[in-house]
Amino acid sequence: MGSSVLAPTIPAAKVSGIFIYPIKSCRGISLSHAPLTPAGLRWDRQWVVVNSQGRACTQRVDPKLALIEVQLPTDALLEDYQPTPHSYMVLKAPGMQPLKICLSKQHEVTNAVTVWEWTGSALDEGAEASQWFSEYLGKPCHLVRFNTASEVRQVDPNYVGSKHHTYFSDGYPFLLLSQESLDALNMLLKEPLPINRFRPNILVEGCDPYSEDLWTEIKISSFSFLGVKLCSRCKVPTINQETGIAGSEPTETLMKTRSGKVIRPNAKNKNKVYFGQNMIWNWMDSSIKEIRNIIKVGDPVYVLGNVASAAEAAA
């Protein structure tokens, strides 16, 4: 159980980076601010590339996705933004002509799209997008958008109440990581790694390394977030996001320093490695109803609840 304390007046950290990944497993976008939604930062993981069986394509199998650059309209991060028929997401990739995806078009609904445990309908972005991704990945693919009109993808009810949901993320709407944790890991590596290997949504700085392991409740500015589960890491952090080529690090070093066996010796999943904290925005219990639900780089981070060690954290 997390200890609860009176709201502190001194921040434990501050937001130093904000990132969204509009298409799952494609390149992220670094932002100075982002609107909050219950399902994550606006535009985050709203699209996914699927194969001919409707299953999500990710860097685990298709590391070339890392090289696809995604651009949104400059005004898309205004909280009251509404796309027009001339609003496009633009994709660029090596050896490919740019692809423009209209943000306001009518879609065909496609069924049986699967991301991990979830299967549902999604909105097909059409033949041109399908051809572009199929050519780039060398196999039949479609680009689909989350169908917010009819679908809900719940966060794992073993960790979070049923009212919380996400789009095409691996499982949780927000991933938070501290710069100090990355710095501590990089001290152990022959070649330091950039933050893009770990694909967080919120990067903070000013705390001790791995402090985020312990956070069960924080406030970013006036917004309450719950730390619900340590993030177990897959193959993706081993993939160089500039080249799409995988190596052995950081998993090799994380196995020695951040495995379940090391930081959670009495728990199961001893061979998983953990780096970062999965979070939800506690939007239902927010005592302050903000006019603008926006977080910004520089926002203070206050710790309202924590556990004593990573061994006590949910994972």
Side-chain angles (χ1 to χ4, degrees), residues 34-56:
L36 290 171
T37 82
L41 299 176
R42 185 163 189 192
W43 304 111
D44 190 49
R45 259 75 63 126
Q46 284 205 10
W47 288 266
V48 65
V49 183
V50 295
N51 65 17
S52 56
Q53 281 81 47
R55 294 194 167 274

Side-chain angles (χ1 to χ4, degrees), residues 151-174:
E151 298 292 342
V152 173
R153 182 173 171 228
Q154 287 187 355
V155 176
D156 188 338
N158 292 316
Y159 293 93
V160 178
S162 63
K163 297 234 170 45
H164 291 281
H165 58 281
T166 186
Y167 294 140
F168 292 133
S169 70
D170 273 356
Y172 296 88
F174 300 92

Side-chain angles (χ1 to χ4, degrees), residues 20-29 48-49 57-59 62-71 89-99 101 129 132-138 141 143 199 240-244:
I20 57 171
Y21 310 87
I23 304 176
K24 184 177 182 66
S25 263
C26 294
R27 193 163 285 179
I29 303 173
V48 65
V49 183
C57 299
T58 74
Q59 288 186 35
D62 298 295
K64 284 176 69 177
L65 288 167
L67 309 183
I68 298 176
E69 181 185 337
V70 182
Q71 296 174 343
M89 176 172 67
V90 180
L91 311 184
K92 297 178 181 177
M96 302 293 292
Q97 290 294 314
L99 174 68
I101 302 292
W132 194 90
F133 277 97
S134 299
E135 182 180 337
Y136 181 66
L137 293 178
C141 294
L143 179 66
R199 300 173 73 81
N240 184 319
Q241 298 295 294
E242 310 304 321
T243 65

